[in-house]
């Protein structure tokens, strides 16, 4: 199957997911108190800052799509997992609101982030409210798998928080003091955990057993790490017109992303140059020099190769959970989509 066809299949699946999940999300957000609701709807792209309707994007819906695709792969009814898929998307957006505050990101989805528009306190509080909404959706869901899904999501959120804490702690350490193994563990917690959780929740809603659910969780984690590797590459070399963020934003913020840490540990002259740049102010000129140093030190090539290897592991884990990969076509299409994206 060609990449073009896979991409079209994934986009069609994401569109179907939005048709199933968006009504649940809108109803959940509509139940929030007025001031909280206003910030939440702005963050999701459904309202402008003044409360008027907006045609903005609410994101790609990759995580809820994984929930529905996993349910389908085990012969379950995806529509029966709609509440769980919406809950996973709410958890994702809780983390985005908080991440934007922590990272001081000025834009998301091609417009100002919620904290820059409404202030830091409102963004944090609304993130908390989205997390509470996720658990309320599961509490109100009559599906027999809902309690197990809630427990799995709770454990995932704790792991997400641990990953975020580690990421922040890295920023206080000298460039050469962060190991690649530490960075991979952090990235798995911050990104892989929720993708794995989404897949596992979908499996639970289809009645899959513990071994199949665990393998599907591993599939999501490996695909999530591949996703993060690609995201880190985009954070350095992505097109601002497509990403909605300035070029080299991660370098300007001195983030110790995976390509950067791999480059720093290469022992090359370019690694020493990069370490020196990371100790100083990152002007636009310094950002360009740092991007070149990461490339020359092998960080770019390493991340691209590692992303491919992680996807191979993901497919292996998926084959353990669903031996007939034809039944898991949607999961494969989604994994290929997120790891082949260029923005």
């Amino acid at each position: 199957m060609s990449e073009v066809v896979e991409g079209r299949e994934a986009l069609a699946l994401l569109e179907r997911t939005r048709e199933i999940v968006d009504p649940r999300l809108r109803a959940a957000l509509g139940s929030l108190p007025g001031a909280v609701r206003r910030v939440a709807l702005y963050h999701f792209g459904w309202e402008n800052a003044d409360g008027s309707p907006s045609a903005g994007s609410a994101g790609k819906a990759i995580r809820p799509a994984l929930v529905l695709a996993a349910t389908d792969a085990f012969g379950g009814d995806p529509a029966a997992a709609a509440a769980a898929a919406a809950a996973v998307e709410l958890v994702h957006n809780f983390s985005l609101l908080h991440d934007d505050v922590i990272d001081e990101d000025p834009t998301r989805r091609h417009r100002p982030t919620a904290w820059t528009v409404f202030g830091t306190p409102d963004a944090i509080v609304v993130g908390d409210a989205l997390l509470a909404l996720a658990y309320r959706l599961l509490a109100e869901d009559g599906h027999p798998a809902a309690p197990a899904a809630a427990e799995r999501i709770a454990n995932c959120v704790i792991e997400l928080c641990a990953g975020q804490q580690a990421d922040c702690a890295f920023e206080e350490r000298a460039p050469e003091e962060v190991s690649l193994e530490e960075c991979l563990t952090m990235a798995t917690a911050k990104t892989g955990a929720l993708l794995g959780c989404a897949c596992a929740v979908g499996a639970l809603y289809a009645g899959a057993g513990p071994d199949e659910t665990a393998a599907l969780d591993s599939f999501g984690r490996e695909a999530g790490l591949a996703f993060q590797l690609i995201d880190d590459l985009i954070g350095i070399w992505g097109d601002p017109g497509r990403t909605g963020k300035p070029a080299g934003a991660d370098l300007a913020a001195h983030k110790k992303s995976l390509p950067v840490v791999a480059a720093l540990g290469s022992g090359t002259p370019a690694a020493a140059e990069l370490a020196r740049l990371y100790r100083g102010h990152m002007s636009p000129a310094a950002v360009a020099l740092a991007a070149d140093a990461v490339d020359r030190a092998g960080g770019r090539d390493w991340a691209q190769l590692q992303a491919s290897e992680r996807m191979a592991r993901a497919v292996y884990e998926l084959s353990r959970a669903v031996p007939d990969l034809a039944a898991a076509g949607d999961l494969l299409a989604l994994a290929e989509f997120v790891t082949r994206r260029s923005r």
Side-chain angles (χ1 to χ4, degrees):
M1 185 184 295
S2 72
E3 291 180 22
V4 173
V5 172
E6 287 176 342
R8 288 174 180 168
E9 286 192 355
L11 288 171
L13 176 59
L14 294 172
E15 182 60 32
R16 293 197 300 273
T17 297
R18 279 287 172 215
E19 292 173 359
I20 293 172
V21 175
D22 277 5
R24 298 286 187 126
L25 289 172
R26 286 182 178 272
L29 298 183
S31 71
L32 292 170
V36 177
R37 180 174 66 249
R38 179 182 173 191
V39 179
L41 289 171
Y42 172 84
H43 168 74
F44 271 84
W46 291 330
E47 285 189 2
N48 295 310
D50 62 4
S52 60
S54 170
S57 169
K60 296 181 180 68
I62 290 166
R63 289 153 190 83
L66 286 171
V67 175
L68 302 185
T71 301
D72 185 60
F74 286 101
D77 177 10
V88 167
E89 183 72 344
L90 287 167
V91 169
H92 175 52
N93 281 275
F94 136 78
S95 72
L96 294 182
L97 279 162
H98 285 199
D99 282 357
D100 286 344
V101 170
I102 293 169
D103 296 338
E104 298 183 344
D105 282 334
T107 58
R108 180 172 293 281
R109 297 166 185 159
H110 303 281
R111 64 178 189 164
T113 43
W115 75 270
T116 66
V117 176
F118 299 99
T120 296
D122 276 5
I124 293 172
V125 166
V126 172
D128 294 342
L130 296 187
L131 183 59
L133 274 181
Y135 289 113
R136 191 169 79 185
L137 282 180
L138 292 169
E140 294 172 349
D141 189 15
H143 197 284
E151 180 182 6
R152 198 159 199 115
I153 289 174
N155 289 331
C156 175
V157 170
I158 293 169
E159 189 174 357
L160 283 174
C161 292
Q164 181 63 65
Q165 192 278 333
D167 193 20
C168 292
F170 290 170
E171 304 310 308
E172 304 301 318
R173 292 160 62 181
E176 63 275 10
E177 290 180 357
V178 178
S179 73
L180 193 52
E181 191 60 36
E182 285 180 297
C183 202
L184 286 166
T185 299
M186 177 275 294
T188 300
K190 277 195 65 176
T191 304
L194 187 54
L195 270 70
C197 179
C199 294
V201 165
L204 289 171
Y205 268 70
D211 290 344
E212 291 84 1
T213 301
L216 214 56
D217 184 281
S218 295
F219 158 76
R221 284 172 176 270
E222 294 292 350
L225 192 49
F227 173 97
Q228 186 60 57
L229 285 154
I230 299 300
D231 200 60
D232 284 352
L233 289 168
I234 292 170
I236 299 174
W237 292 285
D239 177 2
R242 304 181 74 181
T243 65
K245 294 185 177 184
D250 285 358
L251 296 175
H254 294 83
K255 288 192 73 66
K256 296 178 180 69
S257 62
L258 288 161
V260 168
V261 174
L264 286 167
S266 67
T268 62
E273 180 184 341
L274 180 61
R276 177 182 58 78
L277 289 165
Y278 253 54
R279 292 190 183 94
H281 170 67
M282 279 290 188
S283 65
V287 166
L289 290 172
D292 181 61
V294 174
D295 196 2
R296 287 186 288 112
R300 189 175 194 166
D301 288 343
W302 175 87
Q304 290 171 336
L305 178 61
Q306 186 71 198
S308 296
E309 290 180 355
R310 294 291 175 167
M311 266 305 299
R313 295 187 196 181
V315 173
Y316 167 73
E317 293 293 344
L318 182 59
S319 70
R320 292 202 307 121
V322 188
D324 179 10
L325 285 178
D330 286 348
L331 286 170
L332 282 172
L334 287 168
E336 290 291 333
F337 175 76
V338 300
T339 55
R340 293 187 186 276
R341 65 202 179 101
S342 59
R343 62 185 186 275

